Amino acid sequence: MRDDELLRRYLLGGLSGEDEALLEARLIQDEDLFESAEAMEADLLDEYAQGGLSAIQRAHMRRRLASSPASRLQLSVIRGLGAIAQEETPDRRILTGPWGRVDTSRPRTRALAAAAMLVMGVGAVWLALQTPSIPEIRAQKTAHRAEEILPQPRRVPPARPAETPSPEVIARAEPTPEPLPTAPTARVATTAPAPFAFTLALTALRGPESPKELHVPAGTEQVDIHLPLSRDDEASPSFLVVLRNEVGAELIRRTDLRPVKAGESADLVLPVDAKLLPAGRYSVDVFGESEDNPLGFPEFQVVEP
Amino acid sequence: MSRGLTREAFEALLALFNTDREKAAEKYEQIRRKLIGVFEWKGCSIPEELADEVFNRVGYKAAEGLVIQREEPFAYISGVAHHVWQEYLRRKVKEPIPFESSSLIPLAPPEDEPDSRLDHIRGCLKLLEPEQRSLLLRYYVDDQRIQSRKRICEELDIPMNALRIRIHRLRKKVESCVQEMLRN
């Protein structure tokens, strides 16, 4: 096995006890190998920050991060370098607006834009099919005049399909001369009363591609992040909770969070101003009373509305 | 854990590394740094304490007349380190070991104050030569990092491991600078 593969396995906790002991003896002796291991660790932290590695490997990295302030600083610097590098990329295009800053050069953003264009295209076709042509309008006007003279039973437009294609389609459909009957639509669903409750399991180890998604409804002023506690953890009188963004920067640190009883169980509830949660990845570091007692580091992804 | 090193034991320990006291002290620091690194990679929350415990035991053995080939103290040291680690694990099961959350990470700023780490990183990047800064940022720039890094290797005509180490050295400079700024 090549040294870099050996080091990678070692740093991800994947070596047997004997191989581990042999490698550690070499690491103490060989300065170059030790430096390679340090460099490899930084690359693994980068992969971790990018959402890579398997769930088990991520859990291993989390344990390391929980016990090593130096690794946390390293991760923070790596994330920061990534953020600065993205800012300074010449062909990067940033769209700024009420939605925040969106990097249009990122593949994910491009894919979202393509999907949005597709939805708009489908919506436009649907609208074109629903809107009468000019000769039809003329014919309708003539018929309308006839109705004034001789009232006819009113023609009811077809009901909208139960699954509305998208809010964009609704917006385009509204200016039609004959307003469609208002069904319980997404428009109603997007305005939710604040605070908006979002539950995040402390114990769940999430895969690299699937942190829990948070859709913040339009108009939400506050998101309450609920962190259900296990029976053992409830005993702690207070908790330390830190909310971080994707570059590891602290957004909120609460040192005195107390459990809130919810039936037989108890939750920690972290109130977060919705403005602090633009689209992106976040993590919540949860400790019992102090950083000596890490309880979990769940992640979530805020999805663009 | 255990008693600290006596002067006699410390001298015996240094003598294991080199007859020249200054060179031996350098070696001591080098090995200590590595022991700390290894204990950290194993998930230990008190790596310095365990590294010192390893030296304590090796030092006392040396003072008692332990003979180790001067070129090969590493295997012995790593063996002792393994025992110290096993004991730590057993102790950890019995009683949670408190650890210092360290001064490396400062207290968080108040909630309405932005985190200053990004600004520190920007400032510390100025310590690097322009081409070094550019290389470091290129390493972290792309979503398609594997391909992007392969391109850098081709341009510089170096293998991936060499690039990784080059980047590691540059990033360490930035990290030390950020750490210093956070302390201040």
Side-chain angles (χ1 to χ4, degrees), chain B residues 1 4-6 8 16 23 39 45 54 57 60 65 73 90 116 138 154 169 171 175 183:
Chain B
M1 259 195 182
L5 273 180
T6 60
E8 185 195 5
L16 285 178
K23 284 181 184 167
F39 284 129
S45 53
V54 172
R57 294 188 187 188
Y60 277 108
R90 282 195 290 273
S116 55
R138 270 188 75 193
E154 284 164 12
R169 288 175 184 168
R171 201 196 50 255
E175 238 174 68
R183 278 189 179 134

Side-chain angles (χ1 to χ4, degrees), chain B residues 80-97:
Chain B
V80 174
H82 182 71
H83 282 297
V84 168
W85 172 247
Q86 294 297 325
E87 285 173 20
Y88 165 79
L89 286 181
R90 282 195 290 273
R91 203 157 54 94
K92 201 176 175 186
V93 170
K94 285 182 188 164
E95 46 171 309
I97 299 167

Side-chain angles (χ1 to χ4, degrees), chain A residues 89-111:
Chain A
T89 307
D91 63 347
R92 186 167 167 268
R93 296 175 185 86
I94 299 290
L95 275 181
T96 308
W99 54 80
R101 287 161 61 82
V102 177
D103 180 358
T104 59
S105 64
R106 297 186 70 165
R108 183 172 167 273
T109 313
R110 284 185 196 155

Side-chain angles (χ1 to χ4, degrees), chain B residues 31-70:
Chain B
I31 296 174
R32 185 173 185 273
R33 184 174 62 83
K34 288 180 186 175
L35 282 172
I36 290 170
V38 166
F39 284 129
E40 271 186 350
W41 289 329
K42 290 163 101 56
C44 176
S45 53
I46 47 169
E48 289 93 351
E49 205 174 301
L50 293 200
D52 290 339
E53 178 63 18
V54 172
F55 281 135
N56 286 355
R57 294 188 187 188
V58 176
Y60 277 108
K61 279 283 177 193
E64 287 167 10
L66 171 81
V67 179
I68 309 173
Q69 285 185 319
R70 184 154 294 136

Side-chain angles (χ1 to χ4, degrees), chain A residues 24 31 35 46 86 250, chain B residues 33 108 141 145 149 169:
Chain A
E24 283 169 358
E31 187 67 29
E35 192 177 28
D46 184 39
Q86 290 293 350
E250 284 187 12
Chain B
R33 184 174 62 83
V141 76
R145 289 192 176 172
R149 288 172 185 178
R169 288 175 184 168

Side-chain angles (χ1 to χ4, degrees), chain A residues 4 10-11 17 20-21 24-32 34-43 46-47 50 60 63-64 66-89 105-108 244 247-254 276 291-294, chain B residues 27 30-31 33-35 37-47 71-72 74-75 77-78 81-82 85 97-102 104-111 113-115 117-118 121-122 125 133 136-145 149 161 164-165 167-169 171-172 174-175 178-179 182:
Chain A
D4 53 355
Y10 169 69
L11 294 168
E20 190 178 89
E24 283 169 358
R26 282 183 63 203
L27 283 168
I28 291 169
Q29 181 169 7
D30 186 340
E31 187 67 29
D32 291 343
F34 187 83
E35 192 177 28
S36 290
E38 287 182 315
M40 179 64 79
E41 188 200 20
D43 269 14
D46 184 39
E47 274 187 67
Q50 293 289 306
H60 185 83
R63 280 195 293 275
R64 169 112 41 84
S67 65
S68 167
S71 294
R72 290 201 291 274
L73 177 68
Q74 200 176 4
L75 177 65
S76 171
V77 169
I78 287 168
R79 282 175 160 164
L81 288 171
I84 293 167
Q86 290 293 350
E87 281 173 13
E88 296 187 6
T89 307
S105 64
R106 297 186 70 165
R108 183 172 167 273
R244 295 180 190 277
V247 297
E250 284 187 12
L251 303 176
I252 293 178
R253 172 177 284 243
R254 292 287 302 271
L276 286 176
E291 292 184 23
D292 297 352
N293 183 18
Chain B
K27 198 76 190 168
Q30 197 183 62
I31 296 174
R33 184 174 62 83
K34 288 180 186 175
L35 282 172
V38 166
F39 284 129
E40 271 186 350
W41 289 329
K42 290 163 101 56
C44 176
S45 53
I46 47 169
E71 292 77 19
E72 296 293 334
F74 308 104
I77 290 173
S78 60
H82 182 71
W85 172 247
I97 299 167
F99 68 90
E100 296 297 320
S101 59
S102 165
L104 288 175
I105 300 291
L107 288 174
E111 287 178 22
E113 200 176 297
D115 191 317
R117 267 179 280 195
L118 258 184
I121 296 169
R122 283 196 186 91
L125 278 169
R133 181 185 189 280
L136 183 59
L137 292 180
R138 270 188 75 193
Y139 193 78
Y140 290 106
V141 76
D142 209 328
D143 286 335
Q144 304 294 321
R145 289 192 176 172
R149 288 172 185 178
N161 190 45
R164 192 183 291 129
I165 288 175
I167 293 299
H168 169 65
R169 288 175 184 168
R171 201 196 50 255
K172 286 287 270 186
V174 176
E175 238 174 68
V178 170
Q179 193 175 319
L182 290 173

Side-chain angles (χ1 to χ4, degrees), chain A residues 6-28:
Chain A
L6 194 66
L7 290 172
R8 187 181 164 88
R9 283 200 194 182
Y10 169 69
L11 294 168
L12 291 171
L15 283 188
S16 68
E18 192 182 342
D19 289 342
E20 190 178 89
L22 285 171
L23 181 63
E24 283 169 358
R26 282 183 63 203
L27 283 168
I28 291 169

